[in-house]
Every structure is written in C-alpha cells, then in structure tokens.
C-alpha cells in the first residue's frame, strides 16, 4: 500500500536538526575496527544504535561475535503482505592517521559551509558509513512519526567489521540465516554519480588483501660493514612489488586475468554519456594521467578492470634524519581489486607463489591474509532496480544512473550466495568525501535528501 | 723519548673499574644527534667530556657550531720535540628504535657475561663511539698518573654530528685549521679483524645519502574509488628503487662505476689469507648468500666495491590491520657507498636524474641530501702505519693486519684535504657489536686492551 508521501517528506525536513544531532552523537564514538585499542568504542556504537532503534519501535539487540558485535533489529510492516527488506550498513570506521592532516577533530563532528548554500558534515565516518546508515533510520523515523507504521517489514543488520575485512560476517549470516533472510537487501554504502545525480551500483569489484613480510638478517645491520654482501629486505621487497605490473600497467601474476571479461560495448557506451574524463576525474585529486592499463577510460579502469595496489610499505629507518642501516625486515600491504569471475583464492595463491619465487634462499617471507571476496555483478535490469531508479529520480535534480563501482562490498556477494537475496545498492556519498582519508565529510544535502530518498524508495517498494 | 711502559700498562689495569664507571656515565647521556629532541643531551655529553679532559690537565672547551658542539682539548708533550697528534672521536650516537628489540635499556649501560671469561658492555654508543674514544682518554690518564706528562703533544677533537653527516665539521676545521693541525691524526672509530687480531684500516668507503619523496594525489585515496586510475606513489617508488640494480646486482645509475678501480691482485691475495668466507661473514647474521655483484668475495664486496642500499622506506598505511588506501606520498632513504675516485656529487646528480626520469608528469619528487663524502685510500706502507702495527702486535694475541673498511669516516678525507694530515685508523670494535642496531655492545676486552693499545702506540710514536 502506498502512503501519501508528502507529509512524510515534510516530517523528515522538520526532523533534520535532530537527525543531525543524532549523527553527531554516533560520529563521536571512535569505532575504529582495525585497531584493538578501540574495541570498547565499537561496542558503544552498536549499543547506541540498538537504543535508537528500540526507541523507534524496532526490536533491536547487540549480537556478539568473536570480533565486534552486530546490531540486528526487526520491525513489522504495515500490512501482512508488505515486502520484507533487509537494510545493511556498518558502524565501524577507518583509522584516522595521519592525524596532523585533519583540519578538525575527526571525532568531533560539525557543520562547515564550503560555499554559499553548500554545507558539509565533517568527521571520520560521516560518509563511510555512519551518515549513510542513518539516512535509512531517519527515513523510518519520519515514516513512523506520520503513520505510526512502516510500509515494509524491515530487518536491519549493522556490522562493526566492514573496514577490517568482515571476519565475523559469514559465520553470523550462516548462523542466523532464517532470521535475516528477506525479499531483498538494501545496502547504503555507495556514492552518487555527482551532486545532482543519484546512482545505483550494479557492479562491484572484489578484493584480496595480503600483507607480506620479508625477513633477511637476524638484526638490523650497519650498511658500511655489511652493505654489498648482506641481503637488504627492502631491496628484495621493492623488486617484488615493482614486478607486479608490466610496462603497460597490466598485472603480471600468472592467471590474473582469468575470469576477466571485456565490458559489453553497450554498457561502455552508456558510461560514455556520463561525460567523465581523466582530466575531470583525476583533476579533483590533483592528478591528470591515468595510471592503469592503456587505452581504457577512467570509468572502465575503476569499475570494470582489476588492479594491484600497494596500500602500505615500511622498512628500515623512517624517522627524521638518516640512518645507514640495512633493515632486518620490510613489509608491505598489497590489495587486488577483482572483476568478473576472478577467483580471490587463486589470486592470493598466485601472488604468494610469485613472491616466494623472488625471495633469496637465505631470506624468508611471511604472508598474512586480509580479506578476500569475488566481484559482484548485479542484473542491470530488475524490477527492484527500476523501482528504486524512479523513486530516486523523483527526489534529485537529475535522473538516477546505473553505474559500476570500484570498491568492494563483500556483503552483497554473501547476501546472494548465503541468503539468496538480490541487493539494491543506493548511497549518497560523493567522490570528494575523502573517505579513508583525513578530513572526511558528508554533504548535508546527501544526508537530507538521502533520508527523503529512502522514504520514497520504501514507499515505492510497498506499492 | 720512550718511557718504561710496564707501570703505565699496570696502572691502566688498576684504573679499569673506574674507567668503566666513566664510560657508563657517558653512555647514560642520550646524545642522539639526528633527532632534535636530544639536542640538550648532545651538549651535555660535550660538557661531560670537557670536564673529564680538564680534570686530566688538558685545556678543554665546548666549542659551539650551528649544530651540536665540538670538544677541543690540548695538552703539551713531555718534550718540546715530541710529535703532535690529533685524536678524533665522536660522542653522538645513533637512534635506538626499535626500542622493543633491546634486551636492556640502551641508555642504562651494564656488564653482561656472554660466556665464561667474555664480558661485554651493553648500551647505545658503547662501541660507536663512546667506548672507543674513551680508550684514548683513559690511556692518557694512565700515562699521566704514572709520569705526570704525556709522551706526545696531544690535541683532541670530539664531534657530535658524526651520525648525522657531520654538517658542521668542514667549516669548523676550516675556521680552526691552525689550532687543529698536527703531525698526524689518530682516529678511533673502526673495528678489529677478529677478537684476537687488531686491525688498521687503510681504505674507507665514501657515502652519499639521499632521501626521496614521491608525491601523487593531493590526499590519501580510497583504492576502490581511485584504484586503477590514480597514480600510486608507492608503486612509483618501488619501481624506481627496484631499477637501481641490474640482475647481476650492479648499480645501474649512469656513470656510477666511473672512478672505480679493480683492487690490486696482491692486496686481494692478502685478504684471502684472512680466511674469510661468505658462510662465516654472513652466517653471523643469519644469512649465507652474498647479495652484491657476482664473483667477488665478501671482503671485496664490503671493502672495495660500491653499493646502493635502501636504508628506509615508508608510505601508506603501516599500522595493524589493513587499510585500502592509495597514499598521497611515499618516501625512501637511499645511500651509496663509494670507492676509489667515485665523485659523490656526480652520483647524487645521477641518482636524481634517474629518479626524475621515472616520475610521471602529474606527480612530483623532492630530494633531501644527507651527507656526501668520497672514499679514502690511505698508503698501505707508511712509517706511521708500521709503528702502530708493531705496537698493536705487542698487545694482542695475533699480529695486526691492514684491512679495508666498508663504512665511511669522512673526517679522514677532510684531515687529508684541509689539514694535510695522514690518519691512522685504529679501533677495537667487533663485527657483532650491533652498532646502529638494538643491543649494541662493546667487548670489555676491547675497552681494556684498547686503552693499553693506545699507551703502546703513544709510547712508540714518541720514540
């Protein structure tokens, strides 16, 4: 049954100041999941969400896992035949270092006017993903405020380990499949095409994360005494990493491109209408030259092509001044973005085999796996997607577009495989939100119209 | 005039407990020259030395420089025609990180019995160079205790910036050339061949230090959104560093081997009699395979061949867990050990030109120079060297050997060029002293017999 939507949208508008206060409260909780020092904060964020949802009439609870807890909440629909949706978001956030590059305290959120009429919410997690998940909660609030009920039956799942590879997620889905299974999943952890154009993401790259540690001598050495004779683990590591790409920026691992298909011409043609260029895309971040495979657009490179990236490297003396040392070890964090049917475990093994082949016999190598998930390709033309497309197009200045996505949301694959659910990926982030970086922000417009968008989508899904 | 040496040596033996206390006092002063946080400690070390030397009858003073101060001290010889020697050492020490790898507090020295009859002095700077420089001071003390005079006229120069490239040294030598010029210099900052065999170093490699910073995007990026399109500065940097060596471990910089000559066959033959092998040399540090140019002995690789080493590298996320970030910048510290007539500034420029040629047009590179000095080759057969060789052979179980040296002591070149003085390099370090590393130590025997060695050398030089 479709409710009259105008009073609900108006209610969302009226609620906005308080909706913002709630987001600020949540951002203040330092729920960094990758750092054990913030374990208690992660739980605190989960408890905060449970209290909010119970206050809204959900039956919500903190659900323990071996890692950070899940939040699960249930609410009936207005009618017995209302569709059942599972909404997913994550309350954990990325680390904040380097702290000195933040203009404001990452955990003391605030509003900042970037230009007349354009306000942003600043703080770690405002865009990824606390602001996004609250758009849905606040949409439900406005709905209930006006109608006392919700148009769909809603199950909510908030995770606290998304930024650290979601180690507890699969076991949790498996153990609670009956409780979590819905008609489809709504996932709010993605971006708009631009400030005026909402987007539904239909393709997501997978991810394989690997940490590699090369160990040489049993201690740090003086490069005068031993230089020229003793193995230098940084040299070995840089040699290995430099060999990951060929001169055309293709990844050299054996079998890496197995399962990678060319994007259909029709889809590429659709992307071309978006008017994206390397100059525009890279210009935003101070660059201009695509660094990936030759003769492919930046949209193709980031949506439909696999990558190998070095996300971190360290070894030897990195402080001020100089130290003529040959380090005992060096390490790097490397990730691969996957597309099509690339197999994460095969790629992990190919990487390890390649690295091992390059390590001298008197040195050793250690590997640490950090998450692995295949790419996801959602159908480009389902009724779920078309319904959401229309609802979003009603809210925003420009019609919604269906796009690919460079990032990984492994949950989408898990929902598909483990719960047999299709996912709808709608989010209101912008490419300049600086997620994972200092000075993360979320547009006030994203928050406000995001709430209104979910009202429209829930309403349309119930029809 | 040659004094009766026996009572002086006995006096050094009797003094040893107090000599040790004095070394402990000096080691407790945290004179890390590369880190500005320890500026006051560096001065404190200089003041401590001045007080000790004045107490011994030297005219000593702290001499300011734009960086850490020098210590200069003078003492007349027993006779007007006594030779005039300049003794050089450095009171600054290397940083101590990683602190968690130290078994004892680096600045709380102590004695430790490694095996029955073999005691070592633990702490940062015990071997490099506080213990070494005090061998000379304590030798002078024993001499004066017995004779009330010194056999040579002695000038002492202690530096506080040796571990940070000696930026103030040349200007200081230039400004004080008349005061510092002596008949020859004695430098105590080198090692023995082994525990029984004293060594005089006749060849020292030079050093060029460079820090390179590659900057790409104007912020850290999410590798999902931007990966495949945006330049990754760690990838650029690893590519650059990996290209520094060819497959035979030769350095690839243009003109790098200009000025490098093959070691004379006769000298190499002498080295071969020392019985050094890759297994022994590298086995001490848990390695076995020489990493340098093929078909050269480890002695040749470390004494007579130039190198390129990466001393440190950092970029992106290096904390616990994983962060799918593309860093805004990455940096490395690189050093080159030089031999023969390699020109430090030419090599610095060749490195910079090579790096610039590899940096994409939309990225930038910054360089920071960290010291540069040519290699030194002292005459293999001078009377100074032969006198010292005999004196050392009297003290130690095995005769002294004349060796090459992998490390750099730029002062030797400066003494040669600026003051026209030949240097004698005698030191009592061992290759397992872990200088520049956690758990630095100095053998008690090195300290004790080192003191006795200088008594013998001073005595012989006066004859």
């Amino acid at each position: 049954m479709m409710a009259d939507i105008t009073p609900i949208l108006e209610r969302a508008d009226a609620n906005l100041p308080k909706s913002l206060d709630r987001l600020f409260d949540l951002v203040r909780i330092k729920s960094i999941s990758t750092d054990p020092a913030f374990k208690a904060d992660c739980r605190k964020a989960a408890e905060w969400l449970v209290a909010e949802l119970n206050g809204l009439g959900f039956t919500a609870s903190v659900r323990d896992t071996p890692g950070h807890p899940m939040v699960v909440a249930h609410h009936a629909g207005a009618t017995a035949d209302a569709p059942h949706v599972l909404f997913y978001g994550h309350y954990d956030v990325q680390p904040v270092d380097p702290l000195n590059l933040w203009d404001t305290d990452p955990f003391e959120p605030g509003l900042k006017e970037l230009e007349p009429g354009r306000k942003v919410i600043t703080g770690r997690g405002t865009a990824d993903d606390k602001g996004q998940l609250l758009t849905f909660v606040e949409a439900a609030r406005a709905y209930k405020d006006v109608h006392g009920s919700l148009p769909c039956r809603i199950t909510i799942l908030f995770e606290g380990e998304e930024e650290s590879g979601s180690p507890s997620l699969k076991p949790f889905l498996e153990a609670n499949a009956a409780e979590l299974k819905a008609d489809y999943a709504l996932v709010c952890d993605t971006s708009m095409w631009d400030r005026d154009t909402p987007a539904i993401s239909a393709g997501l790259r997978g991810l394989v994360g690997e940490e590699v540690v090369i160990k040489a001598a049993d201690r740090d050495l003086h490069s005068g005494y031993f230089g020229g004779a003793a193995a230098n683990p940084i040299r070995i590591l840089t040699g290995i990493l430099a060999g990951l790409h060929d001169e055309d920026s293709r990844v050299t691992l054996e079998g890496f491109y197995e399962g990678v298909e060319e994007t259909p011409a029709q889809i590429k043609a659709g992307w071309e209408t978006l008017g994206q260029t390397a100059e525009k895309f890279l210009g935003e971040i101070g660059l201009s030259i695509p660094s990936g495979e030759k003769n492919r657009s930046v949209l193709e490179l980031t949506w439909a092509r696999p990558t190998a990236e070095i996300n971190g490297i360290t070894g030897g003396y990195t402080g001020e001044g100089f130290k003529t040392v040959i380090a005992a070890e060096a390490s790097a964090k490397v990730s691969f973005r996957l597309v099509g049917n690339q197999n994460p475990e095969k790629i992990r093994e190919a990487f390890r085999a390649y690295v091992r082949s390059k390590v001298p016999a008197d040195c050793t190598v250690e590997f640490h796996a950090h998450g692995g998930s295949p790419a996801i390709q959602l159908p480009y033309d389902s009724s779920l997607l078309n319904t959401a497309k229309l609802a979003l197009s009603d809210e925003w200045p420009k019609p919604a577009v269906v796009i690919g996505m460079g990032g990984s949301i492994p949950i989408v694959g898990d929902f598909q495989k483990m719960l047999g659910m299709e996912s709808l990926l709608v989010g209101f982030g912008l490419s300049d939100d600086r997620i994972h970086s200092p000075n993360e922000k979320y547009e006030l417009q994203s928050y406000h119209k995001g709430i209104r968008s979910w009202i429209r989508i829930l309403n349309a899904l119930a029809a």
Side-chain angles (χ1 to χ4, degrees), chain A residues 80-318:
Chain A
D81 63 345
H84 179 192
V85 300
L86 172 72
F87 180 83
Y88 166 88
H90 65 90
Y91 66 76
D92 64 319
V93 300
Q94 282 275 322
V96 294
D97 57 282
L99 199 55
N100 62 315
L101 296 185
W102 285 81
D103 296 332
T104 59
D105 184 330
F107 295 114
E108 196 41 70
L111 273 183
K112 192 167 153 181
E113 186 152 31
L114 286 194
E115 53 196 71
R118 183 183 171 200
K119 286 187 181 164
V120 299
I121 309 159
T122 60
R124 171 57 89 227
T126 49
D128 185 19
D129 184 48
K130 289 172 172 175
Q132 301 250 57
L133 70 82
L134 282 189
T135 57
F136 187 83
V137 174
E138 294 298 315
R141 182 186 307 275
Y143 223 107
K144 283 209 75 176
D145 283 353
V146 173
H147 289 281
S149 67
L150 292 175
C152 301
R153 179 180 157 198
I154 295 175
T155 296
I156 284 178
L157 173 65
F158 291 145
E159 185 194 358
E161 301 181 328
E162 200 273 343
E163 302 294 4
S164 47
S166 300
S168 307
L169 191 66
K170 278 188 197 179
F172 190 83
L173 291 184
E174 204 158 53
N176 301 279
E179 181 183 354
L180 297 171
K181 166 93 176 90
D183 298 326
Y184 27 74
L186 309 178
V187 175
C188 191
D189 196 20
T190 53
S191 289
M192 318 228 319
W193 168 249
D194 61 27
R195 295 188 64 218
D196 294 332
T197 315
I200 299 171
S201 302
L204 295 99
R205 292 196 288 190
L207 181 70
V208 170
E210 278 282 288
E211 187 168 353
V212 52
V213 185
I214 307 284
K215 298 186 178 189
D218 58 14
R219 74 198 72 159
D220 284 358
L221 306 173
H222 186 291
S223 73
Y225 282 114
F226 289 101
N232 183 329
I234 308 179
R235 177 176 154 202
I236 296 165
L237 183 62
T238 56
I240 287 168
L241 298 175
L244 280 175
H245 294 89
D246 68 14
E247 291 194 353
D248 295 324
S249 284
R250 280 174 67 88
V251 177
T252 56
L253 294 184
E254 201 175 319
F256 185 76
Y257 289 94
E258 270 172 32
V260 178
E261 286 184 10
E262 287 298 324
T263 308
Q266 184 195 347
I267 300 208
K268 284 211 266 190
W271 292 346
E272 270 159 35
T273 66
L274 291 171
Q276 184 60 291
T277 63
E279 291 68 29
K280 267 164 43 183
F281 182 68
L282 295 173
E284 271 185 39
I285 52 169
L287 295 173
S288 59
I289 308 168
S291 72
E293 298 167 86
K294 305 293 168 213
N295 302 318
R296 297 187 185 270
S297 73
V298 287
L299 290 187
E300 200 184 355
L301 287 173
T302 54
W303 289 351
R305 299 299 299 176
T307 68
E309 292 287 356
I310 309 158
N311 303 107
I313 190 166
T314 185
Y317 183 68
T318 59

Side-chain angles (χ1 to χ4, degrees), chain A residues 1-3 79 81-83 143 151-152 184 387 455-463:
Chain A
M1 196 193 77
M2 208 154 160
T79 61
D81 63 345
Y143 223 107
C152 301
Y184 27 74
T387 301
I455 292 170
R456 291 182 189 276
I457 291 171
L458 284 174
N459 208 47
L461 289 176

